[in-house]
Amino acid sequence: MCEVSDRLAWWTEARFGMFIHWGLYSVPAGIWKGRPVPGLGEWIMHNGRIPLEEYAALAQQFNPVKFNAREWVELARAAGMRYLVITSKHHDGFAMFKSAHPYNIVDATPYGRDVMADLAEACAEAGLRLCFYYSQDQDWSAPGASGHWEEMQDNHWWNHKPDPERFARYLEEKVKPQLRELLTNYGPIGLIWFDTPVAITKEQSEMLRDFVHALQPDCLVSGRVGHGVGDYGSLGDNQIPCGPVEGAWETPATLNDTWGFRADDHNWKSLKDVLYLLVDLTSKGVNYLLNVGPTSEGLIPQPSVDLLRGVGRWMDINGEAIYGTQPNPYPYEFDWGRITAKGDKLYLLVMRWQPHLQLVGLRNNVRRAYLLADPSVAVSVSQSHDTAIDQHLLALGLPAQGPDPLVSVVVLELEGRPDVDTTPLQQPGGLINLPVYMGELHPSGPESGLSLSRAKVAQGWKSLGDFVSWQMKVSQPGAFEVRAIVSSPYHGARATGEHEVEVTVAGQVVQGVLKHDEPVDSPRARYFPEYATALGKVTLEAAGTYDVSLRATHLVPEAGEGLTLARVELRPL
Ligand code: FHN
């Protein structure tokens, strides 16, 4: 059996994949008996409390005559995606492949074709890795599984505790036989994307992982197999971490607000948002698995096609700054864009173009700088070092306009591997950003739950004795507005309670109540909202290194998650 790191090599190189949610739910497309059923398209059976018999009858209407596997694969390739993960069985329990279990696309629909066989062929031809999503825990059609429809008429899946023996039988009698089919009938499979582990035990998660590896040793197992035993980690849906994450992670993400097709969801992201997320996630070492939800005719909605073609045009020119890159060596984001790295190169992915871009803290000499889109354009480089505060400054002279209206890439060829100052540094525009994950967390005692969430936000901050501190390097002293930014720990939820905090900057104290009336406008905050509060003004008289700390002076006890601080900012006034 191969090592996890060997198995992961293609996946970390790929960085960008296509997710496809396709099943019977594309027939009602979010509307049941003339009424929209709120929520995700693929959840219509559960959210609409639809009895299995009625839902299963949708199979007779499922006839995707316009489905063309080669067209889908061509679109994924054109977008620059390197793997394709499709729902072979979602929570509704319907298999989108030929299975011995009769509830499947070949035996139950007028279409009668095994679309996975078509996709396997098209992916093999095009050199795209085919991967299967498989809902191992929830199966609303299978007795014994989580969320079985009969037990859900007045319950919710997350409250459902299936009988352990019946659940184990479901794993043996449906899940393992179907996984065997998926892993033996379609050639090499890149990964199995398990999902929503709620009832599964650690032993069962390990058993499924080993089962997959025994059938195909190179096949990866997603983190959502449960209990942290997968080959890589899965962040929450549409969850964008605030900073770099250690290890192999992926974020599954939507193009509108649903996974499975909903005829009434027109809330599409812009090309700018999608490129921002691709660049942001890549700079943090996270794969971007971007979803399309085809219609019951077998068509990928036109807005998705247009967006993906736009991404592809960008990737054709700038893909070198994405594929096979290492995360940003600086542990923080820049207000002008993001950085990725490869060998002795840094890629500056500039979202806010400026002809005079400056970068602090790079210790290497820059041998050459150029635009990835056109290496013949001259880029001037000047480097200096302020010995008084030991600060390196790189100044780039760039054309007035960037080559791309959304994200332009500047390549820096360095002498040696990137070597950067990883302390919080004042940025050339004057901003000082203090993400909580760059500070030191000081839990008040052994009882304190203060820690970092996987999205790199404070969690478990429920004691007044807890605090966080930073050391920052200031190169342009002056007056600053101090702002605290909290982030929601849950999808779509408001951040936390209106806690009261005080921030001490070089002995000066500002304080205030953290409000929710200034939402941060960024694609990251679309699903996990962030809110900023201005707390007051401080003045720093001289360049140098300063201490900053934030502690709570009043915590709202009802706010279950405590103070979910994301960062403190010092904005020059
Ligand atoms: O419940 C599913 C949902 O329908 C969708 O498949 C997403 C994709 O990541 N996973 C689950 C929710 O996290």
Side-chain angles (χ1 to χ4, degrees), residues 7 214 316 372-373 431 510:
R7 258 192 225 123
D316 283 345
L372 189 55
L431 181 73
V510 293

Side-chain angles (χ1 to χ4, degrees), residues 4 43 511:
V4 175
W43 274 74
Q511 62 187 82

Side-chain angles (χ1 to χ4, degrees), residues 290-312:
L290 185 56
N291 184 69
V292 294
T295 66
S296 60
E297 286 186 297
L299 293 179
I300 295 180
Q302 195 57 41
S304 304
V305 173
D306 295 342
L307 280 166
L308 294 184
R309 295 225 177 266
V311 176

Side-chain angles (χ1 to χ4, degrees), residues 15-21 75-76 79-86 193 238 240 250-259 268-271 273-279 281 286-294 300 303-312 315 527:
R15 287 283 168 234
F16 188 32
M18 177 183 269
F19 214 174
I20 305 180
H21 276 68
L75 179 64
M81 292 156 153
R82 295 272 171 96
Y83 59 113
L84 182 154
V85 184
I86 181 161
W193 215 96
N238 287 304
I240 316 299
E250 176 182 65
T251 289
T254 51
L255 273 174
N256 48 357
D257 293 327
T258 180
W259 305 89
W268 300 100
K269 294 181 178 64
S270 65
L271 178 58
D273 290 346
V274 175
L275 287 180
Y276 174 108
L277 292 172
L278 173 66
V279 161
L281 286 167
V286 179
N287 276 21
Y288 187 30
L289 183 61
L290 185 56
N291 184 69
V292 294
I300 295 180
S304 304
V305 173
D306 295 342
L307 280 166
L308 294 184
R309 295 225 177 266
V311 176
M315 285 291 262
Y527 297 98

Side-chain angles (χ1 to χ4, degrees), residues 92-157:
D92 63 0
F94 187 76
M96 292 292 285
F97 58 99
K98 169 68 183 155
S99 172
H101 194 289
Y103 195 40
N104 74 73
I105 188 169
V106 176
D107 296 319
T109 73
Y111 190 59
R113 269 186 83 83
D114 186 346
V115 292
M116 299 304 166
D118 294 337
L119 279 167
E121 202 178 303
C123 282
E125 274 169 21
L128 195 70
R129 299 257 180 177
L130 177 66
C131 312
F132 291 130
Y133 172 107
Y134 188 90
S135 177
Q136 82 283 19
D137 199 310
Q138 293 191 73
D139 187 324
W140 306 329
S141 73
S146 291
H148 186 250
W149 72 279
E150 276 176 315
E151 293 164 53
M152 285 306 106
Q153 293 306 302
D154 46 22
N155 198 355
H156 287 288
W157 67 281

Side-chain angles (χ1 to χ4, degrees), residues 19 21 40 42-43 90-91 133 193 195-196 224 237 252 259:
F19 214 174
H21 276 68
L40 302 168
E42 70 282 8
W43 274 74
H90 202 266
H91 309 329
Y133 172 107
W193 215 96
D195 204 1
T196 63
R224 296 197 193 178
D237 295 351
W259 305 89

Side-chain angles (χ1 to χ4, degrees), residues 191-385:
L191 60 91
I192 299 286
W193 215 96
F194 292 111
D195 204 1
T196 63
V198 276
I200 199 162
T201 64
K202 183 161 190 223
E203 289 68 33
Q204 288 167 334
S205 295
E206 286 169 346
M207 178 270 289
L208 287 187
R209 177 200 59 196
D210 295 346
F211 186 76
V212 169
H213 289 160
L215 287 164
Q216 290 206 20
D218 290 338
C219 182
L220 294 166
V221 171
S222 83
R224 296 197 193 178
V225 70
H227 305 282
V229 307
D231 291 320
Y232 67 88
S234 180
L235 286 153
D237 295 351
N238 287 304
Q239 188 174 37
I240 316 299
C242 295
V245 291
E246 296 81 39
W249 289 86
E250 176 182 65
T251 289
T254 51
L255 273 174
N256 48 357
D257 293 327
T258 180
W259 305 89
F261 179 65
R262 273 198 80 107
D264 56 358
D265 185 342
H266 307 294
N267 195 19
W268 300 100
K269 294 181 178 64
S270 65
L271 178 58
K272 184 176 175 189
D273 290 346
V274 175
L275 287 180
Y276 174 108
L277 292 172
L278 173 66
V279 161
D280 190 28
L281 286 167
T282 307
S283 77
K284 292 165 182 165
V286 179
N287 276 21
Y288 187 30
L289 183 61
L290 185 56
N291 184 69
V292 294
T295 66
S296 60
E297 286 186 297
L299 293 179
I300 295 180
Q302 195 57 41
S304 304
V305 173
D306 295 342
L307 280 166
L308 294 184
R309 295 225 177 266
V311 176
R313 283 190 289 278
W314 186 88
M315 285 291 262
D316 283 345
I317 295 168
N318 301 294
E320 185 189 319
I322 300 290
Y323 301 123
T325 53
Q326 301 293 316
N328 176 13
Y330 292 89
Y332 50 83
E333 303 171 346
F334 300 90
D335 56 359
W336 50 261
R338 300 289 182 271
I339 295 183
T340 60
K342 203 185 287 178
D344 294 351
K345 285 184 185 158
L346 285 184
Y347 299 96
L348 314 187
L349 296 123
V350 185
M351 300 167 182
R352 281 186 30 221
W353 186 261
Q354 41 207 289
H356 304 287
L357 187 66
Q358 296 187 324
L359 186 66
V360 284
L362 178 66
R363 298 194 183 104
N364 307 76
N365 285 332
V366 176
R367 280 195 286 135
R368 185 181 162 227
Y370 57 93
L371 301 184
L372 189 55
D374 185 355
S376 69
V377 176
V379 172
S380 70
V381 176
S382 124
Q383 291 187 272
S384 56
H385 180 229

